[in-house]
Amino acid sequence: MTTAVRSPRSTPPTAPRRRHPGSITEVPGIEVGHFTDPRRPTGCTAILARDGAVAGVDVRGAAPGTRETDLLDPSNLVQQVHAIVLAGGSAWGLEAATGAVRWLEQQGVGFNVGVGRLPIVPSAVLFDLLVGDMRIRPDAAAGYAACSAAGTRRPAEGNVGAGTGAAVGKIFGIDRAMKGGVGTASLTVAGVTVGALVACNALGDVIDPDTGAVVAGARTLNGKGLLDSRRALLRGEPPKPLLPGTNTTLAVLATDAPLSKAQAHRLAVSGHDGLARAINPVHTPSDGDTVFALATGRAANSPGMMVLATLAAEVTARATLNAVLAARGLSTAEGLHLPAAADLRRVR
């Protein structure tokens, strides 16, 4: 008679892995600035391309909040944009782009319309109104301040800018969620760089794309461990009903490769592959997941769309992971507590 012996389970790590290196600002021609509102957890992030960049966008979430994304269609007239603004505050946060337009105009940046220069600034927002006083949200002054703070240094990550009030793992209720945030990453191959900046406010969990482990997301009922939303849903645990649009992960990709508008669109499409590797579930009816792509064209050559698409998916996944690894836990005056990834260990 033989006795079956079970292999021992590996011990869960006591802390998440180190963040991935690189930054979207390693792409020549790209600057990033954050505005973080001191009155409550919210803010906005401006990604600048002062000399103009060919741009594309792909919206996969079913509840987006966007501005000027139609002009990025390859068949439409405008060929370059001058900034992308990401903001909290839900639809109210779209006002931040107005401040970015004003700041860029003052710098002499924009599309020449004969009588002046018109900055082209597409934008997208995420829902963070459950974190603190919802009456405080990014406005034109916030967008102006984010542009004023922009530079080529590695931008701050975690609880800053558009990710200040972000939370992840809300599929079983905000009271069991964790802190999201902003993350960035980049890779260089054959002399061409692709970078990403992600503001992660997902309904689903954030996954380490290299190991498949849940890093941040819905917590167990006692709040001390990670639930693993995918497995919970497959077991038949019902998600908590949510209003559409109360989540959303936003991403901006940038490269110095020379691209057409159609190619920039395909780069944005590839960015969603990265979101799918790092978030589960993703692109839900309650998320407005949106990926922008910028091409500054400063590199002499391109390694081709196959390589660029692979890099785009990879850096988007890495930046999403960085967003939650850099986040810090917070508590609001209203009694909401959102722990960070570093505060919990994975429960199996």
Side-chain angles (χ1 to χ4, degrees), residues 65-127:
T66 58
R67 166 174 163 163
E68 296 224 90
T69 52
D70 283 352
L71 61 79
L72 301 183
D73 186 291
S75 66
N76 289 340
L77 174 66
V78 173
Q79 293 300 304
Q80 293 189 325
V81 306
H82 305 96
I84 303 290
V85 171
L86 311 179
S90 191
W92 285 290
L94 291 171
E95 177 67 15
T98 299
V101 169
R102 184 168 69 245
W103 187 88
L104 289 165
E105 182 187 17
Q106 291 174 359
Q107 311 307 309
V109 174
F111 177 63
N112 189 347
V113 293
V115 292
R117 290 194 172 271
L118 174 63
I120 306 299
V121 185
S123 63
V125 292
L126 56 81
F127 184 98

Short mmCIF file of all heavy atoms in Angstrom, two decimals, residues 65-127:
data_model
loop_
_atom_site.label_atom_id
_atom_site.label_comp_id
_atom_site.label_asym_id
_atom_site.label_seq_id
_atom_site.Cartn_x
_atom_site.Cartn_y
_atom_site.Cartn_z
N GLY A 65 -14.67 58.05 -19.77
CA GLY A 65 -14.86 59.49 -19.68
C GLY A 65 -13.69 60.14 -20.41
O GLY A 65 -12.56 60.12 -19.90
N THR A 66 -13.92 60.70 -21.59
CA THR A 66 -12.83 61.17 -22.43
C THR A 66 -13.16 62.51 -23.08
O THR A 66 -14.31 62.93 -23.14
CB THR A 66 -12.51 60.16 -23.55
OG1 THR A 66 -13.69 59.96 -24.33
CG2 THR A 66 -12.05 58.83 -22.98
N ARG A 67 -12.11 63.15 -23.58
CA ARG A 67 -12.23 64.42 -24.30
C ARG A 67 -11.28 64.38 -25.50
O ARG A 67 -10.12 63.98 -25.37
CB ARG A 67 -11.86 65.57 -23.36
CG ARG A 67 -11.62 66.91 -24.03
CD ARG A 67 -11.39 67.99 -22.99
NE ARG A 67 -10.77 69.18 -23.58
CZ ARG A 67 -10.74 70.38 -23.00
NH1 ARG A 67 -11.30 70.56 -21.82
NH2 ARG A 67 -10.14 71.40 -23.59
N GLU A 68 -11.76 64.79 -26.65
CA GLU A 68 -10.97 64.92 -27.88
C GLU A 68 -10.30 63.62 -28.33
O GLU A 68 -9.21 63.65 -28.91
CB GLU A 68 -9.91 66.03 -27.71
CG GLU A 68 -10.53 67.40 -27.51
CD GLU A 68 -9.86 68.48 -28.32
OE1 GLU A 68 -10.30 68.70 -29.47
OE2 GLU A 68 -8.92 69.09 -27.80
N THR A 69 -10.96 62.50 -28.10
CA THR A 69 -10.40 61.24 -28.62
C THR A 69 -10.79 61.00 -30.07
O THR A 69 -10.06 60.31 -30.79
CB THR A 69 -10.86 60.06 -27.75
OG1 THR A 69 -12.29 60.08 -27.63
CG2 THR A 69 -10.22 60.10 -26.37
N ASP A 70 -11.90 61.56 -30.53
CA ASP A 70 -12.31 61.35 -31.93
C ASP A 70 -11.27 61.87 -32.91
O ASP A 70 -11.08 61.29 -34.00
CB ASP A 70 -13.65 62.02 -32.21
CG ASP A 70 -14.83 61.23 -31.64
OD1 ASP A 70 -14.60 60.10 -31.18
OD2 ASP A 70 -15.95 61.76 -31.66
N LEU A 71 -10.58 62.95 -32.57
CA LEU A 71 -9.62 63.52 -33.52
C LEU A 71 -8.41 62.62 -33.71
O LEU A 71 -7.63 62.80 -34.66
CB LEU A 71 -9.19 64.92 -33.09
CG LEU A 71 -8.48 65.11 -31.74
CD1 LEU A 71 -7.02 64.74 -31.78
CD2 LEU A 71 -8.64 66.56 -31.28
N LEU A 72 -8.24 61.61 -32.84
CA LEU A 72 -7.12 60.68 -32.98
C LEU A 72 -7.39 59.58 -34.00
O LEU A 72 -6.49 58.79 -34.31
CB LEU A 72 -6.77 60.07 -31.62
CG LEU A 72 -6.39 61.07 -30.53
CD1 LEU A 72 -6.00 60.34 -29.26
CD2 LEU A 72 -5.26 61.98 -30.99
N ASP A 73 -8.60 59.49 -34.50
CA ASP A 73 -8.89 58.52 -35.55
C ASP A 73 -7.96 58.79 -36.73
O ASP A 73 -7.80 59.94 -37.15
CB ASP A 73 -10.36 58.67 -35.99
CG ASP A 73 -10.77 57.60 -36.98
OD1 ASP A 73 -10.27 57.63 -38.13
OD2 ASP A 73 -11.59 56.74 -36.62
N PRO A 74 -7.32 57.74 -37.28
CA PRO A 74 -6.37 57.95 -38.38
C PRO A 74 -6.95 58.68 -39.59
O PRO A 74 -6.20 59.29 -40.36
CB PRO A 74 -5.94 56.54 -38.74
CG PRO A 74 -6.12 55.75 -37.49
CD PRO A 74 -7.34 56.34 -36.82
N SER A 75 -8.27 58.63 -39.76
CA SER A 75 -8.88 59.28 -40.92
C SER A 75 -9.16 60.75 -40.69
O SER A 75 -9.57 61.46 -41.62
CB SER A 75 -10.19 58.57 -41.30
OG SER A 75 -11.16 58.72 -40.27
N ASN A 76 -8.95 61.25 -39.47
CA ASN A 76 -9.27 62.64 -39.17
C ASN A 76 -8.06 63.56 -39.34
O ASN A 76 -6.91 63.11 -39.40
CB ASN A 76 -9.86 62.76 -37.77
CG ASN A 76 -11.26 62.18 -37.70
OD1 ASN A 76 -11.93 62.03 -38.74
ND2 ASN A 76 -11.72 61.83 -36.52
N LEU A 77 -8.32 64.86 -39.40
CA LEU A 77 -7.35 65.84 -39.88
C LEU A 77 -6.10 66.00 -39.01
O LEU A 77 -4.99 65.90 -39.51
CB LEU A 77 -8.04 67.20 -40.04
CG LEU A 77 -7.12 68.38 -40.40
CD1 LEU A 77 -6.53 68.18 -41.79
CD2 LEU A 77 -7.88 69.69 -40.30
N VAL A 78 -6.28 66.30 -37.74
CA VAL A 78 -5.14 66.67 -36.89
C VAL A 78 -4.15 65.51 -36.79
O VAL A 78 -4.52 64.39 -36.46
CB VAL A 78 -5.63 67.10 -35.49
CG1 VAL A 78 -4.46 67.33 -34.55
CG2 VAL A 78 -6.47 68.36 -35.60
N GLN A 79 -2.88 65.81 -37.06
CA GLN A 79 -1.86 64.76 -37.11
C GLN A 79 -1.08 64.62 -35.80
O GLN A 79 -0.50 63.57 -35.55
CB GLN A 79 -0.89 65.05 -38.25
CG GLN A 79 -1.53 64.93 -39.62
CD GLN A 79 -2.08 63.53 -39.89
OE1 GLN A 79 -1.38 62.54 -39.80
NE2 GLN A 79 -3.37 63.46 -40.21
N GLN A 80 -1.03 65.69 -34.99
CA GLN A 80 -0.23 65.64 -33.77
C GLN A 80 -0.98 66.24 -32.59
O GLN A 80 -1.84 67.10 -32.75
CB GLN A 80 1.09 66.40 -33.96
CG GLN A 80 2.04 65.76 -34.96
CD GLN A 80 3.39 66.43 -34.95
OE1 GLN A 80 3.52 67.64 -34.76
NE2 GLN A 80 4.45 65.64 -35.14
N VAL A 81 -0.63 65.76 -31.40
CA VAL A 81 -1.14 66.34 -30.16
C VAL A 81 0.05 66.89 -29.38
O VAL A 81 1.20 66.62 -29.69
CB VAL A 81 -1.91 65.30 -29.33
CG1 VAL A 81 -3.00 64.64 -30.14
CG2 VAL A 81 -0.97 64.25 -28.73
N HIS A 82 -0.27 67.67 -28.34
CA HIS A 82 0.78 68.33 -27.57
C HIS A 82 0.80 67.92 -26.10
O HIS A 82 1.74 68.26 -25.38
CB HIS A 82 0.61 69.85 -27.71
CG HIS A 82 0.58 70.26 -29.15
ND1 HIS A 82 -0.61 70.46 -29.84
CD2 HIS A 82 1.58 70.44 -30.05
CE1 HIS A 82 -0.34 70.78 -31.09
NE2 HIS A 82 0.96 70.77 -31.26
N ALA A 83 -0.23 67.21 -25.68
CA ALA A 83 -0.26 66.69 -24.31
C ALA A 83 -1.42 65.71 -24.19
O ALA A 83 -2.36 65.74 -25.00
CB ALA A 83 -0.42 67.82 -23.29
N ILE A 84 -1.32 64.87 -23.18
CA ILE A 84 -2.44 64.03 -22.73
C ILE A 84 -2.62 64.32 -21.25
O ILE A 84 -1.64 64.36 -20.50
CB ILE A 84 -2.14 62.53 -22.92
CG1 ILE A 84 -1.81 62.20 -24.38
CG2 ILE A 84 -3.32 61.69 -22.42
CD1 ILE A 84 -2.96 62.29 -25.33
N VAL A 85 -3.85 64.51 -20.82
CA VAL A 85 -4.13 64.74 -19.40
C VAL A 85 -4.97 63.59 -18.87
O VAL A 85 -6.01 63.25 -19.44
CB VAL A 85 -4.84 66.08 -19.17
CG1 VAL A 85 -5.31 66.20 -17.71
CG2 VAL A 85 -3.91 67.24 -19.51
N LEU A 86 -4.52 63.01 -17.77
CA LEU A 86 -5.26 61.99 -17.03
C LEU A 86 -5.67 62.61 -15.70
O LEU A 86 -4.86 63.29 -15.06
CB LEU A 86 -4.39 60.76 -16.78
CG LEU A 86 -3.65 60.17 -17.99
CD1 LEU A 86 -2.82 58.97 -17.56
CD2 LEU A 86 -4.62 59.81 -19.10
N ALA A 87 -6.91 62.37 -15.27
CA ALA A 87 -7.38 63.03 -14.05
C ALA A 87 -8.34 62.16 -13.28
O ALA A 87 -9.04 61.32 -13.83
CB ALA A 87 -8.05 64.37 -14.39
N GLY A 88 -8.37 62.39 -11.97
CA GLY A 88 -9.44 61.86 -11.14
C GLY A 88 -10.66 62.75 -11.26
O GLY A 88 -10.73 63.64 -12.10
N GLY A 89 -11.65 62.50 -10.41
CA GLY A 89 -12.82 63.38 -10.38
C GLY A 89 -13.93 63.01 -11.32
O GLY A 89 -14.88 63.78 -11.50
N SER A 90 -13.83 61.84 -11.98
CA SER A 90 -14.84 61.41 -12.94
C SER A 90 -15.03 62.50 -14.00
O SER A 90 -14.07 63.20 -14.33
CB SER A 90 -16.15 61.06 -12.22
OG SER A 90 -17.05 60.41 -13.09
N ALA A 91 -16.22 62.67 -14.53
CA ALA A 91 -16.43 63.60 -15.65
C ALA A 91 -16.05 65.03 -15.30
O ALA A 91 -15.63 65.80 -16.17
CB ALA A 91 -17.88 63.55 -16.11
N TRP A 92 -16.15 65.41 -14.03
CA TRP A 92 -15.73 66.76 -13.64
C TRP A 92 -14.24 66.96 -13.91
O TRP A 92 -13.81 68.07 -14.21
CB TRP A 92 -16.01 66.99 -12.16
CG TRP A 92 -17.46 67.22 -11.85
CD1 TRP A 92 -18.22 68.32 -12.17
CD2 TRP A 92 -18.32 66.34 -11.11
NE1 TRP A 92 -19.50 68.17 -11.69
CE2 TRP A 92 -19.59 66.97 -11.02
CE3 TRP A 92 -18.16 65.10 -10.49
CZ2 TRP A 92 -20.67 66.40 -10.36
CZ3 TRP A 92 -19.23 64.53 -9.83
CH2 TRP A 92 -20.47 65.17 -9.78
N GLY A 93 -13.47 65.90 -13.80
CA GLY A 93 -12.03 66.01 -13.97
C GLY A 93 -11.59 66.35 -15.37
O GLY A 93 -10.43 66.75 -15.59
N LEU A 94 -12.46 66.22 -16.36
CA LEU A 94 -12.11 66.60 -17.73
C LEU A 94 -11.77 68.09 -17.83
O LEU A 94 -11.10 68.51 -18.78
CB LEU A 94 -13.26 66.26 -18.69
CG LEU A 94 -13.50 64.76 -18.91
CD1 LEU A 94 -14.79 64.55 -19.70
CD2 LEU A 94 -12.32 64.11 -19.63
N GLU A 95 -12.22 68.86 -16.86
CA GLU A 95 -11.92 70.28 -16.84
C GLU A 95 -10.41 70.54 -16.73
O GLU A 95 -9.91 71.59 -17.15
CB GLU A 95 -12.65 70.95 -15.67
CG GLU A 95 -12.39 72.43 -15.47
CD GLU A 95 -12.95 73.28 -16.61
OE1 GLU A 95 -13.76 72.78 -17.40
OE2 GLU A 95 -12.56 74.47 -16.70
N ALA A 96 -9.66 69.57 -16.19
CA ALA A 96 -8.21 69.75 -16.04
C ALA A 96 -7.54 70.00 -17.38
O ALA A 96 -6.54 70.73 -17.47
CB ALA A 96 -7.60 68.53 -15.35
N ALA A 97 -8.06 69.41 -18.45
CA ALA A 97 -7.46 69.60 -19.77
C ALA A 97 -7.53 71.06 -20.23
O ALA A 97 -6.67 71.53 -20.97
CB ALA A 97 -8.14 68.70 -20.79
N THR A 98 -8.55 71.78 -19.77
CA THR A 98 -8.67 73.20 -20.13
C THR A 98 -7.48 73.98 -19.60
O THR A 98 -6.92 74.84 -20.29
CB THR A 98 -9.98 73.78 -19.57
OG1 THR A 98 -11.09 73.07 -20.14
CG2 THR A 98 -10.11 75.26 -19.89
N GLY A 99 -7.06 73.67 -18.38
CA GLY A 99 -5.88 74.33 -17.81
C GLY A 99 -4.61 73.98 -18.55
O GLY A 99 -3.72 74.82 -18.73
N ALA A 100 -4.53 72.72 -19.01
CA ALA A 100 -3.35 72.31 -19.78
C ALA A 100 -3.29 73.08 -21.10
O ALA A 100 -2.21 73.52 -21.54
CB ALA A 100 -3.39 70.81 -20.02
N VAL A 101 -4.43 73.25 -21.76
CA VAL A 101 -4.48 74.01 -23.01
C VAL A 101 -4.00 75.45 -22.78
O VAL A 101 -3.21 76.00 -23.56
CB VAL A 101 -5.90 73.99 -23.60
CG1 VAL A 101 -6.04 74.98 -24.74
CG2 VAL A 101 -6.27 72.58 -24.06
N ARG A 102 -4.46 76.05 -21.69
CA ARG A 102 -4.06 77.43 -21.39
C ARG A 102 -2.56 77.53 -21.15
O ARG A 102 -1.89 78.44 -21.67
CB ARG A 102 -4.85 77.95 -20.18
CG ARG A 102 -4.56 79.42 -19.89
CD ARG A 102 -5.53 80.01 -18.88
NE ARG A 102 -5.33 79.47 -17.54
CZ ARG A 102 -6.22 78.72 -16.89
NH1 ARG A 102 -7.37 78.40 -17.46
NH2 ARG A 102 -5.95 78.28 -15.68
N TRP A 103 -2.01 76.59 -20.39
CA TRP A 103 -0.58 76.63 -20.09
C TRP A 103 0.25 76.45 -21.36
O TRP A 103 1.21 77.19 -21.60
CB TRP A 103 -0.22 75.55 -19.07
CG TRP A 103 1.20 75.62 -18.59
CD1 TRP A 103 1.69 76.35 -17.54
CD2 TRP A 103 2.34 74.95 -19.17
NE1 TRP A 103 3.04 76.17 -17.42
CE2 TRP A 103 3.47 75.31 -18.41
CE3 TRP A 103 2.50 74.08 -20.24
CZ2 TRP A 103 4.75 74.84 -18.68
CZ3 TRP A 103 3.78 73.60 -20.53
CH2 TRP A 103 4.88 73.97 -19.76
N LEU A 104 -0.12 75.50 -22.18
CA LEU A 104 0.62 75.26 -23.41
C LEU A 104 0.54 76.46 -24.36
O LEU A 104 1.53 76.81 -25.02
CB LEU A 104 0.09 74.00 -24.10
CG LEU A 104 0.44 72.67 -23.41
CD1 LEU A 104 -0.44 71.55 -23.95
CD2 LEU A 104 1.91 72.34 -23.57
N GLU A 105 -0.63 77.07 -24.44
CA GLU A 105 -0.75 78.26 -25.29
C GLU A 105 0.21 79.35 -24.83
O GLU A 105 0.85 80.02 -25.65
CB GLU A 105 -2.19 78.78 -25.27
CG GLU A 105 -2.40 80.00 -26.16
CD GLU A 105 -3.77 80.62 -26.00
OE1 GLU A 105 -4.45 80.34 -25.00
OE2 GLU A 105 -4.15 81.41 -26.89
N GLN A 106 0.32 79.53 -23.53
CA GLN A 106 1.23 80.53 -22.99
C GLN A 106 2.69 80.23 -23.32
O GLN A 106 3.52 81.15 -23.37
CB GLN A 106 1.04 80.65 -21.49
CG GLN A 106 -0.28 81.26 -21.08
CD GLN A 106 -0.51 81.23 -19.58
OE1 GLN A 106 0.32 80.74 -18.81
NE2 GLN A 106 -1.63 81.78 -19.13
N GLN A 107 2.99 78.96 -23.55
CA GLN A 107 4.36 78.57 -23.92
C GLN A 107 4.58 78.60 -25.44
O GLN A 107 5.66 78.25 -25.92
CB GLN A 107 4.66 77.15 -23.41
CG GLN A 107 4.31 76.89 -21.96
CD GLN A 107 4.92 77.90 -21.01
OE1 GLN A 107 6.12 78.14 -21.06
NE2 GLN A 107 4.10 78.47 -20.14
N GLY A 108 3.57 79.01 -26.19
CA GLY A 108 3.68 79.05 -27.63
C GLY A 108 3.60 77.69 -28.29
O GLY A 108 4.08 77.50 -29.41
N VAL A 109 2.97 76.75 -27.61
CA VAL A 109 2.86 75.37 -28.10
C VAL A 109 1.47 75.15 -28.67
O VAL A 109 0.47 75.52 -28.05
CB VAL A 109 3.12 74.36 -26.97
CG1 VAL A 109 2.86 72.93 -27.44
CG2 VAL A 109 4.56 74.50 -26.47
N GLY A 110 1.38 74.54 -29.85
CA GLY A 110 0.08 74.20 -30.38
C GLY A 110 0.05 74.13 -31.90
O GLY A 110 1.04 74.40 -32.59
N PHE A 111 -1.10 73.74 -32.40
CA PHE A 111 -1.37 73.62 -33.83
C PHE A 111 -1.58 75.02 -34.41
O PHE A 111 -2.37 75.81 -33.89
CB PHE A 111 -2.63 72.76 -34.01
CG PHE A 111 -3.09 72.59 -35.42
CD1 PHE A 111 -2.30 71.95 -36.36
CD2 PHE A 111 -4.35 73.03 -35.80
CE1 PHE A 111 -2.74 71.78 -37.67
CE2 PHE A 111 -4.81 72.87 -37.09
CZ PHE A 111 -4.00 72.23 -38.03
N ASN A 112 -0.82 75.33 -35.45
CA ASN A 112 -0.89 76.66 -36.06
C ASN A 112 -2.21 76.84 -36.81
O ASN A 112 -2.46 76.17 -37.81
CB ASN A 112 0.29 76.86 -37.01
CG ASN A 112 0.40 78.30 -37.49
OD1 ASN A 112 -0.51 79.10 -37.31
ND2 ASN A 112 1.54 78.64 -38.09
N VAL A 113 -3.05 77.75 -36.31
CA VAL A 113 -4.34 78.02 -36.95
C VAL A 113 -4.35 79.38 -37.63
O VAL A 113 -5.40 79.96 -37.90
CB VAL A 113 -5.50 77.92 -35.93
CG1 VAL A 113 -5.67 76.49 -35.45
CG2 VAL A 113 -5.28 78.86 -34.74
N GLY A 114 -3.15 79.91 -37.91
CA GLY A 114 -3.05 81.18 -38.63
C GLY A 114 -3.01 82.39 -37.72
O GLY A 114 -2.10 83.21 -37.80
N VAL A 115 -4.00 82.49 -36.84
CA VAL A 115 -4.06 83.64 -35.93
C VAL A 115 -3.48 83.31 -34.56
O VAL A 115 -3.49 84.15 -33.65
CB VAL A 115 -5.52 84.12 -35.77
CG1 VAL A 115 -6.03 84.71 -37.07
CG2 VAL A 115 -6.42 82.99 -35.30
N GLY A 116 -2.99 82.12 -34.40
CA GLY A 116 -2.42 81.72 -33.12
C GLY A 116 -2.16 80.23 -33.12
O GLY A 116 -2.27 79.55 -34.16
N ARG A 117 -1.81 79.72 -31.97
CA ARG A 117 -1.53 78.29 -31.83
C ARG A 117 -2.54 77.65 -30.88
O ARG A 117 -2.78 78.17 -29.79
CB ARG A 117 -0.11 78.05 -31.35
CG ARG A 117 0.94 78.41 -32.41
CD ARG A 117 2.30 77.88 -32.08
NE ARG A 117 3.23 78.07 -33.20
CZ ARG A 117 3.40 77.20 -34.18
NH1 ARG A 117 2.72 76.06 -34.18
NH2 ARG A 117 4.24 77.45 -35.17
N LEU A 118 -3.10 76.56 -31.33
CA LEU A 118 -4.13 75.85 -30.56
C LEU A 118 -3.56 74.53 -30.06
O LEU A 118 -3.34 73.60 -30.84
CB LEU A 118 -5.35 75.59 -31.44
CG LEU A 118 -6.45 74.72 -30.84
CD1 LEU A 118 -7.06 75.40 -29.62
CD2 LEU A 118 -7.53 74.43 -31.88
N PRO A 119 -3.30 74.40 -28.76
CA PRO A 119 -2.81 73.13 -28.22
C PRO A 119 -3.88 72.05 -28.33
O PRO A 119 -5.06 72.28 -28.04
CB PRO A 119 -2.51 73.46 -26.75
CG PRO A 119 -2.36 74.94 -26.71
CD PRO A 119 -3.33 75.46 -27.73
N ILE A 120 -3.48 70.86 -28.76
CA ILE A 120 -4.38 69.72 -28.87
C ILE A 120 -4.10 68.81 -27.68
O ILE A 120 -3.00 68.25 -27.55
CB ILE A 120 -4.19 68.96 -30.18
CG1 ILE A 120 -4.31 69.93 -31.38
CG2 ILE A 120 -5.19 67.83 -30.30
CD1 ILE A 120 -5.65 70.62 -31.50
N VAL A 121 -5.10 68.66 -26.80
CA VAL A 121 -4.90 67.95 -25.53
C VAL A 121 -6.04 66.96 -25.28
O VAL A 121 -7.03 67.28 -24.60
CB VAL A 121 -4.80 68.93 -24.34
CG1 VAL A 121 -4.47 68.18 -23.05
CG2 VAL A 121 -3.73 69.99 -24.60
N PRO A 122 -5.97 65.77 -25.82
CA PRO A 122 -6.95 64.74 -25.44
C PRO A 122 -6.78 64.38 -23.96
O PRO A 122 -5.69 64.54 -23.38
CB PRO A 122 -6.58 63.56 -26.33
CG PRO A 122 -5.79 64.16 -27.45
CD PRO A 122 -5.05 65.30 -26.85
N SER A 123 -7.85 63.89 -23.36
CA SER A 123 -7.77 63.56 -21.93
C SER A 123 -8.76 62.45 -21.59
O SER A 123 -9.67 62.14 -22.35
CB SER A 123 -8.05 64.79 -21.07
OG SER A 123 -9.37 65.27 -21.28
N ALA A 124 -8.55 61.87 -20.42
CA ALA A 124 -9.44 60.82 -19.91
C ALA A 124 -9.44 60.89 -18.40
O ALA A 124 -8.46 61.36 -17.78
CB ALA A 124 -9.00 59.45 -20.40
N VAL A 125 -10.53 60.42 -17.81
CA VAL A 125 -10.68 60.53 -16.35
C VAL A 125 -11.01 59.17 -15.74
O VAL A 125 -11.48 58.26 -16.41
CB VAL A 125 -11.80 61.53 -15.98
CG1 VAL A 125 -11.39 62.94 -16.35
CG2 VAL A 125 -13.13 61.16 -16.64
N LEU A 126 -10.74 59.08 -14.46
CA LEU A 126 -11.11 57.91 -13.67
C LEU A 126 -11.98 58.35 -12.49
O LEU A 126 -11.98 59.52 -12.10
CB LEU A 126 -9.88 57.13 -13.21
CG LEU A 126 -8.80 57.87 -12.41
CD1 LEU A 126 -9.16 57.99 -10.93
CD2 LEU A 126 -7.45 57.17 -12.56
N PHE A 127 -12.71 57.39 -11.94
CA PHE A 127 -13.66 57.67 -10.86
C PHE A 127 -12.98 57.44 -9.52
O PHE A 127 -12.60 56.31 -9.19
CB PHE A 127 -14.88 56.76 -11.00
CG PHE A 127 -15.98 57.00 -10.01
CD1 PHE A 127 -17.08 57.78 -10.35
CD2 PHE A 127 -15.93 56.45 -8.74
CE1 PHE A 127 -18.11 57.99 -9.44
CE2 PHE A 127 -16.95 56.66 -7.83
CZ PHE A 127 -18.05 57.44 -8.17
#
